[in-house]
Amino acid sequence: MTDMSQRNATVDVDVLIVGAGPTGLMLANQLARRGVKPRIIDRHSGPAQQSRAMAVQARTMEIYSKMGIIDKALALGARATGGNMWANGRWTARIPVGDIGQDLSAFPFVLMLGQDDNELIMGEKLGDYGVAVEWNTELVEIEQHPDHVDATLKLPDGTTRRVKAAWVAGCDGSRSPVRELSGIKFPGAPYQHTFFVADTEATGSMKPGELNVYLWKDGFHLFFPMRGKDGWRVIGVLPKHLRQRDDLTFEDVVPAIQQEAGTNLSFKACHWFSTYRISHRAAEHFRDRRCFLLGDAAHIHSPAGAQGMNTGLQDAYNLAWKLALVVQGRADVALLDTYEQERIPVAKRLLETTDRAFQLIVADGWLGSLFRTRILAAVAARAMKFERVRRLAFRTIAQLGISYPGSSLSKALPGLPKDAPAAGDRFPWMRLNFAANGPAEDLFKHLDDTKFNLLMIGQSPIAPQTLDDFGGLLRIHAITADPANAAELVRVKVPQPSFYLLRPDGHVGLCGVRLEVADVRRYLAEQVRLKAQDGLSNGNRPSSGATVTPIGRLTPAA
């Protein structure tokens, strides 16, 4: 890669982001807060006014907290701490999401917040960095070169202009021009069912403030709580006799909903109604040389589990820190190979599980009807009685369990117990004492997600000058055997002594028992491909090394 002055002289923009939906806005924000100013375009005339995506999962809220937008999201959204299942008009089971997740995340709930509101919040934050979306601007052609991409844009006035970008990110939806112009195949197929979505004001048997799932012989209806009095977003499968109608209105669907959700269900208003079809597809590659695919451009799947929008946001969070380091000349371009390496397995696994679950839920015929109305609810009710099953369900739905064990960035040194957090895992959330006799605080709030964070647990303190900070990219945190901290470490199965080097996205990069400075230096140089800064190379160190932040009392390990 060229240095900063050369790079700015040879390209018009470092990163061109195509698509200003949630994924594109997340990528733009993450780049901007890391010092890379992107250009973001969208062929539409403005932000989305309505959306089908509704649920914001715990992992996304953790990221929002780092971005400084979580308070706005919580104020605009409605918290759902549980899910209820109904079959044949009878309540059959409740999944207590809030109770399950209290020790797993600072956000043990699902936030009901529409895609449009997510876009609004992230768009406003992007403006704080001096970046604005260029609406009515369309990508019409790309030509890739070894050191840049020539992108031809169609501007609002109908003229075209060629832009030279170092990198292009396709966040442009299921019909992605970036994907099509790159010649990347998008295998899969549409589901046969037609769905509807409606934003309503309603009263009925629904458990307030929680997700309500009504299972019926030919499909299902989902009631998502929304902010405002009696606000509910209703999503469901259209009844067979309505699927061929072109002039369908919400009033046509109401009798079928009432038949399954109870005659006491009353809709006072419908503010938005739409029908749609969905597919299940995954791109064969998430990268073609200097072009990347993220979000719906890379993968689309059924709404089972409310994973789609959140998965796109995590695509962006994964790519952004790597792309920023490469753009700034602080890491070798080979680091970018790990984006596809890590995210394709996640997308394929999600596609398989959501498709399998969805096919069971919407299966036609008497067997499908029997499964929905008699078996599914009974199995869910029984399974949720087991703590291990409940925690697994929350970790999966909340996207806390996503891991990259096969990544070249995931390295574990010998000696850690098998049940300890592993390389590639999201490091567990904990409450720790940061001062003697102090209150328990959120560990994640003390970690800087624009840097690597080295957690030293039960280790003898190291002199800061023994480990360089790679140009300000490394922070060291010492966690010692304070009694309260020790209890938290036991809870999350983090052994003492141990060390965990966390990537900027919070996943474990390197871990082991006894910290050796050479292991950390070698990992950052060889696996992450960080480049020496300010003339540092071959282990040379600056006069002042990495900052060490104590967590609890600093006492040498026995």
Coordinates of all heavy atoms in Angstrom, one line a residue, residues 5 16 109 126 202 324 371 413 443 448 555:
S5 N 0.2 10.4 1.8 CA 0.3 11.5 0.8 C 0.1 10.9 -0.6 O -0.6 11.4 -1.4 CB 1.6 12.2 1.0 OG 2.7 11.3 0.8
L16 N -15.6 3.9 -1.4 CA -16.9 4.3 -2.0 C -17.9 3.3 -1.5 O -17.8 2.1 -1.8 CB -16.9 4.3 -3.5 CG -18.2 4.5 -4.2 CD1 -18.8 5.9 -3.9 CD2 -18.1 4.3 -5.7
F109 N -32.4 -8.0 26.0 CA -33.8 -7.9 25.4 C -33.6 -7.7 23.9 O -32.5 -7.6 23.4 CB -34.6 -6.8 26.1 CG -33.8 -5.5 26.1 CD1 -33.8 -4.6 25.0 CD2 -33.1 -5.1 27.2 CE1 -33.1 -3.4 25.0 CE2 -32.4 -3.9 27.2 CZ -32.4 -3.0 26.1
L126 N -23.6 9.9 11.4 CA -22.7 10.1 10.3 C -22.5 11.6 10.0 O -21.4 12.0 9.6 CB -23.2 9.3 9.1 CG -22.2 9.2 7.9 CD1 -20.9 8.5 8.3 CD2 -22.9 8.5 6.7
A202 N -53.7 -1.6 17.8 CA -54.6 -2.7 18.0 C -54.6 -3.1 19.5 O -53.7 -2.8 20.3 CB -54.1 -3.9 17.2
A324 N -10.1 0.1 7.5 CA -9.5 1.4 8.0 C -8.0 1.2 8.2 O -7.2 2.1 7.8 CB -10.1 1.8 9.3
F371 N -47.8 -29.8 13.0 CA -46.6 -29.3 13.6 C -46.7 -27.9 14.2 O -46.2 -27.7 15.3 CB -45.4 -29.3 12.5 CG -44.1 -28.8 13.1 CD1 -43.3 -29.6 13.8 CD2 -43.7 -27.5 12.8 CE1 -42.1 -29.2 14.3 CE2 -42.5 -27.0 13.3 CZ -41.7 -27.9 14.1
L413 N -2.8 -20.3 22.3 CA -1.6 -20.9 22.8 C -2.0 -22.1 23.7 O -3.1 -22.0 24.3 CB -0.7 -19.9 23.5 CG -0.3 -18.8 22.6 CD1 0.6 -17.8 23.4 CD2 0.5 -19.2 21.4
L443 N -17.5 -4.0 31.8 CA -16.1 -4.1 31.2 C -16.1 -3.5 29.8 O -15.2 -2.8 29.4 CB -15.7 -5.6 31.1 CG -14.4 -5.9 30.3 CD1 -13.2 -5.2 30.9 CD2 -14.2 -7.4 30.1
D448 N -11.8 0.1 24.3 CA -11.8 1.0 23.1 C -11.9 0.1 21.8 O -11.0 -0.6 21.5 CB -10.6 1.9 23.1 CG -10.6 2.9 22.0 OD1 -11.4 2.8 21.0 OD2 -9.8 3.9 22.0
T555 N -1.9 -6.9 41.8 CA -1.0 -7.7 42.7 C -0.5 -8.8 41.8 O -1.1 -9.4 40.9 CB -1.9 -8.4 43.8 OG1 -3.0 -9.1 43.2 CG2 -2.4 -7.3 44.8

